[in-house]
Amino acid sequence: MKKLFVLTTAFFILQQSFSQTIIQRDPEIEQMVKEVSSDSLQSYIKTLVAFGTRNTLSTQGDPKRGIGAARNWVLGKFNQFAKESNGRLTAFIDTITYQPDGKRVDHAINLGNVVATLKGADPNDNRIFVISGHMDNMRTNVMDSVGDAPGANDDGSGSAAVLECARIMSKHSFPATIIFVTVSGEEQGLLGATFMANKAKKENWNIEAVLNNDIMGSNNSNETNIIDNTKVRVFSEAFSVQDTGRKALMIRQLGLENDGKARQLARYVKEIGERYVDNLQVVMVYRNDRFLRGGDHTPYVENGFAAVRITEMNENYYHQHQNVRKENNIQYGDLQEFMDFEYLRKNTALNLCNLANLAKSPSMPPDVKIEVKKLTNNSIFSWAKSANGKIKGYYILIRETTSPVWQKKIFTTDTNITLPYSKDNYFFAVQSVSETGNESLPVVPGIGR
Ligand SMILES: [Zn+2]
């Protein structure tokens, strides 16, 4: 069998003097990544656009037009995939009645998210990983629920990515649970995502990561004529809402501003994405979302979950939130003809490999500590065995304080290690790794006295 080896992210991006760990691709994930099809993504978007408008306030009674028809079709696709899942995938439309809010909802609506759950195979593993996109869209006027709004890229692209991941992944079995969701109400004020994130918080769902995909299938900007389908952005916030009081003091004292859970997730998405998806660079942006703008990951972030936004490198505002029209020889509107389905394929594969690697990983090592009993230039770590999964061992991750990415991975099968790197000069984390090389999210050590 042909063996493929790839180097860690740091080699490509920083080319630092550190030696690099060689990591083998998991053949199962590599195979799934190969199955991501630009044709299938294009066909989903063609169908979504054909619903005329998917504005959240649009009709739900028409079988061919409006948000109601669109969400029924998405449910139908999930149910079709479920047939090949051996009963592991189940789907439904999770609805609430949303009352007029004096803002972007002017009449009572039946707000619905289409949720497909691929139940984890390990009954002791309650971890959940979420991929999200929004089905709804808008014209120039967000309250216009009647006129045509194609929404091919915003957010046909994210919805198509969710469907494609569900199609491929539902044929496989993972220890942890994956939720594929297309929400509505994003343009009306993140309503669908807020509904789901609040529910997850209230019901104590163990969501370890949310990948929100919004506007990810077009490769060019309007002003600069930049065309580039080799880069994608992942936005993450520094702090979590739980980082208050003593925790906040500790973050300041230890300089852990870039080691919050969303940023760790972003770093993970970059590393795993670049491991499995060729010719794609994942560009981390150190803010929760684009300048003064928002998205569906934010309600999760506000409920204390790790959530990031995945979005294209260059946005084209001629095609975003615009009525379809021609003005001064410029074609406005979010039309399919402006999409790059090969780019969308890579960005979908980025989601798939991350969801698969997370859902196949053992659970995060508990009780990770760095010992500070005496002053030493070594760093001494200990942790407990991960509760779930087939554990091969653990990686100690190391990076310089100014490095955005992990630069070294040191493998051990023990649950403690002493390393000749001073804790004054480096950041560390520990992650568990499965027999097939799938890493958990990293855990930043607490203080051990
Ligand atoms: Zn959007």
Side-chain angles (χ1 to χ4, degrees), residues 110-122:
N110 175 284
L111 183 77
N113 298 330
V114 192
V115 184
T117 303
L118 185 63
K119 188 93 187 95
D122 179 351

Side-chain angles (χ1 to χ4, degrees), residues 232-356:
V232 63
R233 293 178 291 176
V234 56
F235 285 83
S236 64
E237 73 153 17
F239 297 106
S240 151
V241 287
Q242 296 126 327
D243 296 336
T244 55
R246 271 198 59 173
K247 233 175 153 183
L249 279 177
M250 196 59 110
I251 288 167
R252 287 172 60 204
Q253 187 178 13
L254 301 180
L256 293 172
E257 296 88 351
N258 288 312
D259 285 72
K261 55 167 83 168
R263 195 140 298 160
Q264 292 291 7
L265 175 59
R267 198 171 278 132
Y268 185 99
V269 165
K270 176 177 175 62
E271 179 182 336
I272 305 307
E274 291 176 2
R275 181 184 302 167
Y276 284 99
V277 187
D278 293 314
N279 300 310
L280 185 69
Q281 184 190 337
V282 181
V283 177
M284 288 190 289
V285 183
Y286 280 7
R287 43 169 60 122
N288 182 49
D289 207 326
R290 302 145 309 155
F291 205 84
L292 293 179
R293 291 187 290 160
D296 281 337
H297 53 305
T298 303
Y300 294 95
V301 165
E302 284 169 357
N303 277 295
F305 299 113
V308 295
R309 181 196 183 106
I310 294 168
T311 205
E312 63 199 24
M313 196 64 214
N314 307 289
E315 287 178 80
N316 191 318
Y317 304 108
Y318 293 156
H319 308 147
Q320 213 177 95
H321 302 177
Q322 295 281 357
N323 292 351
V324 178
R325 68 191 190 280
K326 215 164 191 175
E327 247 171 48
N328 300 324
N329 260 337
I330 295 168
Q331 178 67 57
Y332 291 87
D334 192 353
L335 300 166
Q336 288 170 82
E337 65 199 69
F338 300 121
M339 299 202 52
D340 175 343
F341 292 101
E342 164 58 13
Y343 182 49
L344 181 55
R345 180 195 66 77
K346 288 195 280 185
N347 293 340
T348 303
L350 166 71
N351 278 270
L352 187 149
C353 65
N354 270 286
L355 288 170

